[in-house]
Amino acid sequence: MGSGSAYSTDVLVVGAGPIGLTAALELRRRGVACRVVDKLLEPPQYAKAVGVQARTLELWEKSGVLPAMLDAAVPMLGQHVYRNGDHTATIEMALPPDMSYAFMALPQYETERLLREALAGLGVVPERGVELVSFTQDDDGVTAELAGPDGPETVRARYLVGGDGAHSTVRKTLGLSFEGGAFAEEYMLGDVEVDWSIPRGWSVRATTEQDGKVVDVLVCIPLPGHKRYRMSMLVPPELSTATPGANEIAHGFEAGRAPELHHIQAVLDRLAPEPTTARNLRWSSVFRISHRIAGAYSGGRAFVAGDAAHIHPPTGAQGMNTGIQDAVNLAWKLAAAVDGTAAPGLLDSYDAERRPVGEEVVGRTVKAAATGIRIDSTDPFHAVRREAQLLVGYRGSPIVGPVDGTVPDGAPQAGDRAPDARGLVRDIVQFPIRLFELLRAPGHTVLVYAESDTTAATIDDVVAATREALGDDVHAYAVLTGLVDAPDLQAPSVRDAAGAFREAYAAADGTVLLVRPDGYIGHRGTVADVAGIAGYAALVAAPAGSRVPVAG
């Protein structure tokens, strides 16, 4: 098909797991038509990915699903560590004061259910039992062949997103490499209840070691419910499956026998910190772990995200959270491309920004699987922020502005995550608010900080220049100190009553921050540098008046 061909939908999303559902939700929030297909007839009911990081919670706040997620979750307070029967450590999840959210546990089946409910509210229901058989693409779109309960179907879409897991049809069809290796160990998972005395919200890691090597292991992650845990253990010989071939991607659940309650009880009898009985087995499986990363995250108009792009050990609960960030990063760019407002290089930046993150996560989790999560900084909170994925950033990305050399070291720069700030005061609202409450819109947000009446008088002009460069859907806020009097200001304003914004951003009078739709800073400058705003806009947006859809 050539130019002008009819489209069945704007974006076809393959895979209805957390990554595909997130991509679809973010697309629909921006008015993009999409379909979600998944070859499984029913949503899996397993507690695979359980740990949810603070950065994911920040993104869920933006998308509006956070309250439901919090209602369904259990807090992760810390871990009790046992070695050869001795209680060797109690690791408490001490958090830096600037973090808005702590760690939590939520079974993957609940995450998916709540994402599906949010997506249904926007008019999209995943189509179950529908498999992507093949696809081709040209300069204008993607033609996909599907097979489902009603027979074969041809779908024409502008773009294709593969959130279809480690064995991704999208990745294989694109011919993308998936280099890496596999771990020799085989594990079993069980979702069970126990009757021990360990308090709610605490995980357990117990090992038996010989000659410095772990020969037996039990890891218990708390789940919602009464003393319910997802337990991970080595597989006993009677459940072991055949070793995969060198070129086989051995990651995820195996087709062999599922563990039974007595298999889990046997491990508990050896390793549990106190005598306990397992009961009410909800789900179990045998699984293997590999570490691989795609050679590219896209090909033409087709993209891969989540396990389709990177797989690695579950250490630190990085996998699903990394994939969700993939989907959020990609979706706002796809929405701009569908709308015809994207700069030519915007979609290319998905691979440029997200693949280095995937490479770092794969390398770090492989090392942590052998040595544990490392405290490798003099900052006691560095490892916490890293594991919470709050240190992920895109400095040097082709679509962010230059680093501002005039601000202090460590200040948020273009490419960094936009931090929260508390204690803001807004007219009419009779309680303090947080900055993140102002950053929930699906588009860009411009923040202008003023400590003087003279600077405040320029804010409306800065906002007008930003909207001229990026479009009328830009949200704008003036952040003022208590000394500023700006009665004629048209932009919405908040007062930095506690100085938290100034501190979080190392802001000075006239600081301008452009926050991208995914919550990262695209540009940092001043009210005197309107050209800098236009320079950033040229990286991400088509010129004003030009709304020609870009090629993928």
Side-chain angles (χ1 to χ4, degrees):
M1 298 183 184
S3 179
S5 58
Y7 295 100
S8 308
T9 191
D10 289 327
V11 180
L12 176 63
V13 179
V14 183
I19 282 65
L21 293 170
T22 297
L25 179 63
E26 293 295 320
L27 289 167
R28 287 300 300 135
R29 287 182 63 222
R30 296 169 173 85
V32 176
C34 64
R35 288 177 63 180
V36 182
V37 300
D38 195 295
K39 65 182 180 181
L40 297 180
L41 285 170
E42 297 291 338
Q45 293 299 303
Y46 48 64
K48 183 185 176 186
V50 173
V52 182
Q53 304 297 350
R55 182 56 182 158
T56 298
L57 301 185
E58 292 178 355
L59 296 174
W60 282 348
E61 178 179 3
K62 287 176 65 67
S63 67
V65 301
L66 180 61
M69 298 291 185
L70 293 175
D71 288 348
V74 61
M76 294 274 283
L77 303 177
Q79 184 176 77
H80 292 291
V81 181
Y82 300 83
R83 182 178 296 112
N84 294 336
D86 295 325
H87 187 193
T88 58
T90 298
I91 303 172
E92 186 174 357
M93 295 288 194
L95 304 178
D98 58 300
M99 278 181 64
S100 292
Y101 299 109
F103 300 90
M104 76 180 200
L106 185 66
Q108 183 172 327
Y109 56 81
E110 281 291 273
T111 297
E112 293 179 8
R113 178 181 67 83
L114 295 170
L115 289 173
R116 284 197 305 272
E117 289 181 1
L119 189 56
L122 296 175
V124 174
V125 175
E127 301 167 44
R128 313 289 326 186
V130 179
E131 183 175 4
L132 174 69
V133 177
S134 65
F135 68 89
T136 58
Q137 54 180 320
D138 53 49
D139 290 344
D140 300 315
V142 177
T143 302
E145 302 298 331
L146 306 180
D150 299 325
E153 179 188 5
T154 300
V155 173
R156 179 69 172 168
R158 297 179 189 272
Y159 299 98
L160 174 68
V161 175
D164 50 344
H167 303 281
S168 170
T169 297
V170 176
R171 186 190 66 243
K172 292 174 183 176
T173 302
L174 289 174
L176 302 177
S177 64
F178 204 41
E179 299 297 327
F183 288 86
E185 296 85 1
E186 197 172 13
Y187 297 87
M188 61 180 182
L189 290 179
D191 180 346
V192 299
E193 294 178 6
V194 289
D195 57 2
W196 60 30
S197 62
I198 292 174
R200 179 177 182 266
W202 287 83
S203 65
V204 170
R205 177 181 174 85
T207 58
T208 299
E209 299 183 13
Q210 295 177 0
D211 300 324
K213 294 183 179 180
V214 174
V215 296
D216 205 1
V217 63
L218 169 68
V219 178
C220 307
I221 306 297
L223 297 177
H226 181 66
K227 295 186 183 296
R228 179 169 288 279
Y229 294 81
R230 190 207 68 184
M231 298 189 175
S232 176
M233 299 144 281
L234 293 174
V235 165
E238 65 266 28
L239 293 179
S240 183
T241 60
T243 302
N247 295 321
E248 183 180 349
I249 298 173
H251 189 80
F253 303 133
E254 300 290 327
R257 293 175 54 196
E260 298 177 11
L261 202 56
H262 69 87
H263 294 110
I264 295 169
Q265 185 64 53
V267 180
L268 289 171
D269 290 343
R270 297 194 305 268
L271 293 174
E274 62 185 63
T276 190
T277 300
R279 60 183 182 273
N280 296 338
L281 177 63
R282 186 182 185 279
W283 160 83
S284 66
S285 181
V286 173
F287 74 105
R288 289 184 180 273
I289 300 171
S290 288
H291 52 93
R292 294 177 182 269
I293 188 162
Y297 278 18
S298 64
R301 288 176 168 261
F303 304 81
V304 291
D307 282 1
H310 46 80
I311 54 177
H312 41 80
T315 313
Q318 301 294 292
M320 180 189 72
N321 295 275
T322 300
I324 286 173
Q325 288 198 54
D326 291 342
V328 172
N329 182 288
L330 176 59
W332 75 268
K333 298 170 183 179
L334 281 176
V338 168
D339 192 42
T341 60
L346 184 62
L347 290 181
D348 292 336
S349 72
Y350 169 62
D351 179 88
E353 291 186 341
R354 292 305 301 170
R355 193 153 57 94
V357 175
E359 290 173 341
E360 190 276 335
V361 169
V362 171
R364 174 160 49 87
T365 54
V366 167
K367 183 181 296 184
T371 63
I373 296 173
R374 300 177 67 86
I375 307 300
D376 48 8
S377 171
T378 55
D379 177 1
F381 292 129
H382 177 82
V384 173
R385 290 189 173 95
R386 182 189 62 204
E387 298 304 311
Q389 300 195 343
L390 300 180
L391 300 183
V392 171
Y394 309 125
R395 288 195 192 187
S397 162
I399 64 159
V400 302
V403 168
D404 185 348
T406 67
V407 299
D409 290 342
Q413 295 274 10
D416 293 347
R417 161 187 163 271
D420 202 0
R422 303 168 193 163
L424 303 180
V425 175
R426 188 170 192 180
D427 288 345
I428 304 171
V429 181
Q430 296 299 292
F431 49 83
I433 66 171
R434 298 162 45 241
L435 179 64
F436 277 179
E437 296 175 52
L438 309 180
L439 300 180
R440 294 174 181 171
H444 280 78
T445 301
V446 59
L447 305 171
V448 187
Y449 178 75
E451 296 180 343
S452 66
D453 295 352
T454 301
T455 297
T458 70
I459 290 177
D460 286 333
D461 289 339
V462 172
V463 171
T466 304
R467 287 179 171 151
E468 181 179 358
L470 281 173
D472 291 338
D473 63 342
V474 170
H475 285 248
Y477 293 96
V479 182
L480 311 175
T481 64
L483 301 177
V484 173
D485 181 21
D488 298 324
L489 183 64
Q490 297 302 299
S493 64
V494 294
R495 298 279 176 175
D496 186 26
F501 181 90
R502 181 183 68 249
E503 180 179 357
Y505 286 87
D509 189 29
T511 294
V512 174
L513 295 145
L514 264 172
V515 182
R516 304 188 333 182
D518 57 356
Y520 287 85
I521 300 169
H523 164 77
R524 178 174 183 140
T526 68
V527 295
D529 182 25
V530 176
I533 296 172
Y536 166 73
L539 301 175
V540 300
S546 172
R547 301 184 69 84
V548 179
V550 300

